[in-house]
Amino acid sequence: MSTRFPFTAVVGMDDLRLALLLNAVSPSVGGVLVRGEKGTAKSTAVRALAGLLPEVAVVAGCRFSCDPAAPDPGCPDGPHGDGASGARPARMVELPVGASEDRLVGALDIEKALAEGVKAFEPGLLAAAHRGILYVDEVNLLSDHLIDHLLDAAAMGASHVEREGVSVRHAARFLLVGTMNPEEGELRPQLLDRFGLTVEVAASRVPEERVEVVRRRLAFEDDPAAFAARWAGEEAALRARISAAREVLPRVVLGDAVLLQIAATCAAFEVDGMRADIVMARAATALAAWAGREEVTSEDVRQAALLALPHRRRRNPFDAPGLDQDKLDETLERFKGEEPDDDPDPGPDGPGDGGPGGGGGVPPQGGEGPAPETDGAPEQAPEQAPGTDCAPERAPAPQGSGPAGERAAVKAGEPFRTKVLSVPGLGDGAAGRRSRARTQSGRTTGATRPRGALTKLHLSATVRAAAPHQRARGRSGAGLVVRRDDLRQAVREGREGNLVLFVVDASGSMAARRRMGAVKGAVLSLLLDAYQRRDKVGLVTFRGRGAELALPPTSSVDAAAARLEELPTGGRTPLSAGLLKARDVLRVERLRDPSRRPLLVVVTDGRATGGGPDPVGLAARAARLHAADGTASVVVDCEAGPVRLGLAGNLARDLGGTAVTLDELRADALAGLVRDVQVDRSIRRAA
């Protein structure tokens, strides 16, 4: 086994180390979600934690790590009785982003199950992670069907495998740790809430700390064993402190006064449900045990809130995580009761530079309090969510200021629930919630011969394939003689996520403040819909003399919303340039991900006043190129006023798509709730 980087050798990142150690002391805290930019040693710190966990007592020969003191009565390898037991190191199991469902939950041998009635089960990663750590790097990129299994296992502490009436259940209680780069997209709220704590990490801006990071990393890569041996003493001391905290934990008292503070804090920040209260209580108790105290204090509650609430207070996908620390302190002070005179400091620094035991309780998550000493990053004003009342209104620039009379950005209007825009036909893209597709989950629509391992058995088709051959195979008993050639894979239909490419007109014709605010509100609403339907999004804007790719296709809808909020307006309307830029983007994306089908959303009033000597004709020809490519499209008609020219409708016909007005885009409009974007085959042939 390769040598892990020592946990105590990690430089800085006190809050990350504290969050991980609290889970090592009390696994019931519920795991950690680590958010941060790439290259910040998120994975290094998480992998190093496994070496600090105490050994696990297991039943000898049990593939599901049953505890000899309390074996699982339903264990597939049981019953265990009074068999031999042993001990092994705690495991850290990594779940790859591209793992299959069978790799995660395990697989049944369907052929044996049908022919012999034997539950031949091969355990998956959930079984391997039982009583250990399940680590998911880039957890925000995990497929939806895998997330569903994680949610079920995390909620019930068990994994169920069902295959056409054959069922296996085993215990699966694990510490869930995930890392993610927010630029690549956010997590589904259901999975986000399953992480007990969250920490935001960033690379230090202090040169001395960066030098120390490089020095230690190079020393580790030159001789991993020698480097680990150099830190063995600190690792042993920290391991002993974890064991001591575990012994103190059952004796820690959670008084009524601090319980009231916990409840008041969760209510003040309007978090959903009651899980936040429970996680805060467990985290505060673990903090007291980590400090060697037997009573929880207000400072423990404060630190627990800073770790447990930021990811739960998001009211919509575009709200930046974080807490108002002034509001937190005010709430704690208001509901402060009689407390013991213990030193509120959680204890002396733990071994190693920076002291993971000290923590500091102030994760760099956008609050107004002082930044951690180890961060060194300059303070920044908290980001405002687009489309909310607290987003600052930028004063308009004077006419003629900036290139081509550019005007300052306008605040987006209030978002609303939109109609479902979907791509016609049946796709094979990544699982999502927009367009019809062949998927691994969903309703069964047919059967086929399996290619590779069988994952979803179509029972009736398998029986029909095997039935004519029973006499030739010498069937004599009650069992059905099934061979590999008889097995049939179920074909299932569900929903896929698409690439939604927005092409937004930012020219002078769209520059009226009220009008552009409504347009931005509509695009923001479509972005919210894309977030909920697990799409990738991109943003092309055109104005003045050309078009630009404001945001390359990404899973981060937050980034698209931020670019939209900053979008200025002004200048001429080079519609053809916007359409051609969008075609170039889609051409590259088809090469990168050919299974993900695109949906082109053009937001414009249809006018074309730039881009060449015949701007209208150029725009029409560019639109027909999209139709020839078979790109599904919709034009959001932004034309306003009592007299309308209908230019957006002409553009939609050239694209072979559909035109909808801003009013029709709302889900509560009188038109149908679902509008499929159709491609005009005749236009495609003519092109």
Side-chain angles (χ1 to χ4, degrees):
M1 185 178 69
S2 60
T3 303
R4 293 190 181 97
F5 193 90
F7 189 86
T8 50
V10 175
V11 178
M13 298 196 298
D14 289 354
D15 296 298
L16 170 57
R17 293 193 289 167
L18 178 62
L20 293 172
L21 289 170
L22 292 180
N23 277 274
V25 171
S26 177
S28 63
V29 168
V32 185
L33 174 64
V34 188
R35 297 165 49 92
E37 59 196 23
K38 55 187 177 293
T40 50
K42 301 185 297 293
S43 300
T44 299
V46 173
R47 293 188 176 102
L49 177 67
L52 299 175
L53 299 182
E55 287 191 335
V56 178
V58 295
V59 174
C62 178
R63 297 174 297 166
F64 301 89
S65 302
C66 280
D67 186 349
D72 181 7
C75 176
D77 285 354
H80 296 300
D82 298 326
S85 63
R88 62 162 176 78
R91 290 176 182 156
M92 191 190 73
V93 177
E94 296 195 36
L95 172 60
V97 171
S100 66
E101 180 180 335
D102 284 350
R103 184 73 185 100
L104 176 64
V105 302
L108 286 169
D109 190 327
I110 302 297
E111 189 172 353
K112 282 188 176 181
L114 286 175
E116 305 173 24
V118 176
K119 294 181 182 180
F121 180 70
E122 183 66 28
L125 296 177
L126 290 179
H130 179 47
R131 304 177 66 200
I133 301 173
L134 181 62
Y135 171 49
V136 189
D137 193 13
E138 297 181 322
V139 63
N140 51 326
L141 304 183
L142 204 62
S143 301
D144 274 3
H145 68 286
L146 297 183
I147 288 177
D148 291 337
H149 287 295
L150 275 182
L151 289 173
D152 290 342
M156 298 182 294
S159 175
H160 294 262
V161 183
E162 303 284 346
R163 292 290 188 274
E164 301 292 346
V166 181
S167 176
V168 172
R169 174 208 166 276
H170 65 82
R173 291 182 295 275
F174 47 81
L175 173 60
L176 181 61
V177 180
T179 56
M180 60 175 282
N181 183 349
E183 294 178 356
E184 296 173 340
E186 285 293 345
L187 278 175
R188 282 169 51 183
Q190 297 94 326
L191 182 58
L192 195 65
D193 192 45
R194 288 294 175 187
F195 288 97
L197 310 179
T198 185
V199 176
E200 193 107 0
V201 298
S204 174
R205 300 297 185 263
V206 179
E208 292 78 10
E209 286 193 359
R210 297 175 74 96
V211 167
E212 187 61 23
V213 169
V214 174
R215 182 181 291 118
R216 293 186 186 185
R217 188 68 205 183
L218 293 178
F220 174 76
E221 291 176 354
D222 288 342
D223 192 343
F227 186 84
R230 193 185 315 159
W231 291 87
E234 287 83 351
E235 292 282 290
L238 189 55
R239 195 178 297 112
R241 185 175 176 185
I242 292 173
S243 299
R246 286 189 171 191
E247 293 179 2
V248 173
L249 186 66
R251 304 196 299 270
V252 175
V253 176
L254 188 67
D256 291 341
V258 292
L259 270 176
L260 180 60
Q261 286 184 315
I262 290 171
T265 301
C266 293
F269 285 99
E270 300 180 359
V271 296
D272 296 328
M274 295 297 297
R275 184 173 285 114
D277 303 62
I278 297 170
V279 170
M280 273 189 65
R282 289 171 174 167
T285 303
L287 279 162
W290 179 246
R293 288 184 274 101
E294 297 186 4
E295 190 155 0
V296 178
T297 67
S298 289
E299 183 61 24
D300 295 329
V301 175
R302 186 179 190 279
Q303 287 187 316
L306 290 168
L307 294 171
L309 296 188
H311 61 303
R312 292 186 166 90
R313 62 156 296 275
R314 291 165 62 98
R315 310 314 299 170
N316 68 60
F318 306 140
D319 284 343
L323 290 182
D324 182 340
Q325 294 188 38
D326 289 340
K327 181 178 179 180
L328 173 60
D329 292 336
E330 179 184 342
T331 303
L332 293 175
E333 184 64 29
R334 179 182 175 190
F335 290 92
K336 187 175 183 179
E338 293 296 326
E339 293 184 348
D341 293 329
D342 296 76
D343 183 0
D345 181 64
D349 287 349
D353 252 20
V362 188
Q365 302 175 88
E368 298 177 4
E373 294 179 2
T374 58
D375 190 357
E379 292 186 5
Q380 296 179 353
E383 296 179 2
Q384 300 290 349
T388 61
D389 292 336
C390 58
E393 177 84 5
R394 296 178 176 88
Q399 290 291 338
S401 66
E406 179 181 299
R407 304 183 185 181
V410 178
K411 175 184 173 183
E414 190 69 23
F416 51 84
R417 189 167 64 92
T418 67
K419 292 178 181 178
V420 180
L421 305 174
S422 60
V423 179
L426 197 63
D428 293 288
R433 298 182 178 180
R434 183 171 297 278
S435 305
R436 294 174 54 215
R438 289 175 286 267
T439 59
Q440 296 187 12
S441 59
R443 64 186 183 91
T444 302
T445 59
T448 185
R449 291 181 181 272
R451 296 178 180 178
L454 179 71
T455 55
K456 299 289 184 181
L457 177 74
H458 196 296
L459 183 58
S460 60
T462 299
V463 172
R464 288 196 301 270
H469 309 290
Q470 295 305 295
R471 181 176 297 178
R473 293 173 182 173
R475 174 187 172 189
S476 57
L480 188 67
V481 181
V482 179
R483 294 180 180 173
R484 175 69 185 175
D485 291 343
D486 302 327
L487 299 179
R488 295 294 182 269
Q489 175 87 17
V491 177
R492 300 194 173 190
E493 182 179 312
R495 293 280 169 175
E496 68 176 359
N498 298 110
L499 167 59
V500 182
L501 182 61
F502 294 93
V503 181
V504 180
D505 185 349
S507 64
S509 65
M510 306 282 287
R513 294 186 64 81
R514 183 176 298 178
R515 184 180 178 192
M516 195 60 195
V519 170
K520 284 189 175 183
V523 179
L524 184 66
S525 303
L526 290 168
L527 285 171
L528 280 165
D529 183 67
Y531 167 79
Q532 294 164 353
R533 300 187 186 282
R534 314 302 292 172
D535 295 317
K536 289 181 69 174
V537 296
L539 179 63
V540 171
T541 63
F542 60 93
R543 63 187 177 91
R545 297 182 179 179
E548 66 172 339
L549 180 59
L551 180 72
T554 175
S555 297
S556 177
V557 180
D558 293 35
R563 300 292 173 85
L564 176 70
E565 186 73 7
E566 299 166 357
L567 179 65
T569 57
R572 301 178 70 83
T573 312
L575 177 56
S576 60
L579 295 174
L580 292 175
K581 171 63 76 172
R583 187 167 184 254
D584 289 341
V585 173
L586 294 179
R587 177 180 55 81
V588 173
E589 287 303 310
R590 285 191 181 99
L591 296 175
R592 289 178 176 171
D593 189 358
S595 64
R596 189 181 288 269
R597 297 187 295 165
L599 174 61
L600 183 69
V601 179
V602 185
V603 185
T604 181
D605 57 9
R607 298 186 183 186
T609 60
D614 180 16
V616 176
L618 288 174
R621 287 195 288 273
R624 293 191 187 104
L625 290 175
H626 282 283
D629 292 338
T631 302
S633 59
V634 60
V635 177
V636 179
D637 185 358
C638 303
E639 192 173 24
V643 179
R644 304 197 178 196
L645 302 178
L647 299 176
N650 296 336
L651 176 63
R653 284 191 290 274
D654 289 329
L655 285 167
T658 307
V660 295
T661 65
L662 290 177
D663 290 336
E664 291 173 341
L665 191 62
R666 294 179 178 270
D668 54 359
L670 295 178
L673 291 179
V674 178
R675 182 187 296 269
D676 285 334
V677 182
Q678 301 295 335
V679 178
D680 191 331
R681 309 292 180 184
S682 62
I683 292 180
R684 189 186 309 172
R685 287 195 296 270

